[in-house]
Amino acid sequence: MVSVSPWLLEDGVLHLNHGSFGATPASVLEAQERVRRRMEANPTRYFVGDEYQHELDTARRVVADFVGADEAGLVFVNNATTGVNAVMRSLEPSLAPGDEILITDHEYNACVNAAVVSAERTGAQVVTARAPFPLESSQEIVDAVLGAVTDRTRVLLIDAVTSATGLVMPVAELASALEPDVAVLVDAAHGPGMIDFDVSALGVSYVTANCHKWMCAAKGAALLWVREDRREGVYPPVISHGYNGGWPSSSSHFHAQFDWTGTQDPSPWLTVPDALDAVAAMHPDGWSGVRKAIRELCLTGREILLDALGIDPPAPEDMIGSIASVPVPPADHSGSEIFDPLMDALADKHNILVPVFAWPDPPERLLRISAHLYNEESHYRTLATALLAELSA
């Protein structure tokens, strides 16, 4: 019997970089195409009638249930960066000169930029908490962040799982100490689908998350959730008909503003439920089994690399999901390259796709692995062999 992979990933390449762009099962892309065909068969009926709104509300219900959120507070956006921008722009009227937007030095660059621009427009300032890595416990993160809080801190922007260092951050602990005086905005690009993720249990004001990464939806699907007491005054980056209730027929003003920001392809949003079903079907225990399997594989892969490099774990296991970073020897190049030469060599010479970051600053750098259901232990052993070959070249 011929086995047909549910994934469309290129043969002959080791895809160890799920964390950057995700991967979408073929069946989900087929569902997306069906939506597009319905839309194009009669665009006027699709968008002006009830078809689009009904499908959007259905998808919202499914996604809200998956992430533990109330659907009244959940809207779709194109990516987590858009969600961060929506919140930061909406907070600007409440920011005054001298107010502080707190981030950590592990924060994703695109979202740092959103905070910087909001600070520039309001006279506020971005304050960076220096969080250690390597580290021995999440308490070090808590101490670093809370130690940077002042009476001028208005908002904390923090990852649920950091991009470069691959750390599961102690978001709930920080929110418990800061909310409601300091609004906590969680960039959960790597959250849902990777770790047990319950929005309502975090105690934060805002959560944005990608659906195209660990939920394996089509590219262009993400969510933004806003707690009930913060919803008034939150706007999408693009203001459209919903601002004055002109259209569409959404269930609330909050939904109406985000549900239609101009004509676009809504199929990534509408097929997130298909992605959730497709991935759940890949493991006998559904999503709980998926999360457990890929985390265990990631920890195994990290151990293989640590053994090969002869170094200690840079973070405890309880701070690891299904991405993990390990330090590699400093580079002897300028550090000005867009992509690290080691990353290029692994891709070009060994067909291994894995990111290498300059972190915290050149020449120091990290190599980050991901694990998903299309990976296996042998992939990380192949990476370790190739890595040692390149480091000794």
Side-chain angles (χ1 to χ4, degrees):
M1 179 180 295
V2 177
S3 175
V4 178
S5 172
W7 309 94
L8 297 178
L9 295 166
E10 182 180 354
D11 290 336
V13 176
L14 293 190
H15 299 272
L16 301 179
N17 191 24
H18 188 96
S20 286
F21 305 106
T24 306
S27 63
V28 178
L29 298 177
E30 292 165 1
Q32 182 183 21
E33 182 59 24
R34 290 193 294 272
V35 170
R36 286 172 168 162
R37 288 186 177 277
R38 288 201 308 276
M39 176 177 64
E40 295 301 336
N42 191 329
T44 301
R45 181 182 64 201
Y46 188 83
F47 286 116
V48 178
D50 293 334
E51 196 168 352
Y52 165 65
Q53 191 66 52
H54 172 72
E55 292 182 14
L56 184 66
D57 289 340
T58 298
R60 184 182 356 250
R61 256 190 318 273
V62 172
V63 173
D65 181 67
F66 185 77
V67 300
D70 60 307
E71 61 186 276
L74 188 142
V75 291
F76 287 105
V77 290
N78 291 336
N79 48 58
T81 303
T82 301
V84 168
N85 274 268
V87 174
M88 291 308 308
R89 298 297 173 270
S90 299
L91 286 173
E92 286 178 6
S94 67
L95 295 175
D99 284 348
E100 296 172 354
I101 302 167
L102 181 59
I103 64 173
T104 78
D105 55 349
H106 296 243
E107 182 55 56
Y108 189 59
N109 179 63
C111 297
V112 171
N113 289 340
V116 167
V117 170
S118 287
E120 290 174 346
R121 291 171 59 169
T122 61
Q125 60 180 323
V126 175
V127 174
T128 302
R130 302 295 175 183
F133 184 84
L135 76 172
E136 295 184 358
S137 79
S138 61
Q139 187 61 44
E140 296 177 61
I141 300 291
V142 173
D143 292 343
V145 172
L146 296 184
V149 173
T150 73
D151 60 359
R152 298 308 301 268
T153 306
R154 299 293 176 259
V155 58
L156 167 66
L157 168 59
I158 190 164
D159 288 345
V161 182
T162 61
S163 179
T165 48
L167 299 177
V168 178
M169 299 292 264
V171 171
E173 292 89 334
L174 290 169
S176 177
L178 296 174
E179 289 274 6
D181 296 330
V182 176
V184 178
L185 164 57
V186 180
D187 172 9
H190 293 283
M194 178 200 286
I195 58 177
D196 289 333
F197 194 79
D198 188 329
V199 164
S200 62
L202 293 176
V204 302
S205 294
Y206 315 96
V207 176
T208 186
N210 284 323
C211 301
H212 71 262
K213 292 199 178 188
W214 302 96
M215 294 163 70
C216 298
K219 310 301 184 284
L223 65 93
L224 170 64
W225 175 85
V226 180
R227 198 173 63 209
E228 185 175 8
D229 62 304
R230 301 281 192 182
R231 285 172 202 161
E232 185 68 29
V234 175
Y235 309 106
V238 176
I239 300 300
S240 189
H241 295 292
Y243 179 77
N244 66 352
W247 192 73
S249 57
S250 304
S251 60
S252 69
H253 184 236
F254 179 62
H255 282 177
Q257 293 186 91
F258 285 85
D259 286 357
W260 180 269
T261 56
T263 304
Q264 66 174 11
D265 180 1
S267 60
W269 300 351
L270 303 182
T271 53
V272 177
D274 296 276
L276 295 177
D277 288 344
V279 177
M282 294 180 191
H283 195 283
D285 295 326
W287 268 101
S288 63
V290 171
R291 288 191 294 267
K292 181 179 179 182
I294 61 178
R295 179 176 183 270
E296 289 177 352
L297 181 58
C298 181
L299 290 172
T300 297
R302 185 179 78 147
E303 189 63 32
I304 289 169
L305 291 179
L306 295 175
D307 287 346
L309 293 167
I311 58 176
D312 294 327
E317 287 192 0
D318 63 4
M319 294 187 73
I320 301 298
S322 48
I323 57 174
S325 291
V326 299
V328 292
D332 59 2
H333 57 90
S334 67
S336 62
E337 294 85 349
I338 296 177
F339 299 110
D340 191 284
L342 177 58
M343 176 177 169
D344 290 338
L346 290 170
D348 297 341
K349 295 166 62 176
H350 304 277
N351 287 328
I352 301 174
L353 300 182
V354 62
V356 179
F357 304 98
W359 202 92
D361 297 295
E364 302 297 322
R365 54 188 181 165
L366 302 174
L367 181 149
R368 191 192 75 192
I369 58 170
S370 300
H372 213 283
L373 295 177
Y374 52 80
N375 295 125
E376 55 190 52
E377 183 176 328
S378 64
H379 294 173
Y380 305 97
R381 298 195 182 280
T382 299
L383 169 62
T385 299
L387 176 61
L388 292 180
E390 292 303 320
L391 292 177
S392 63

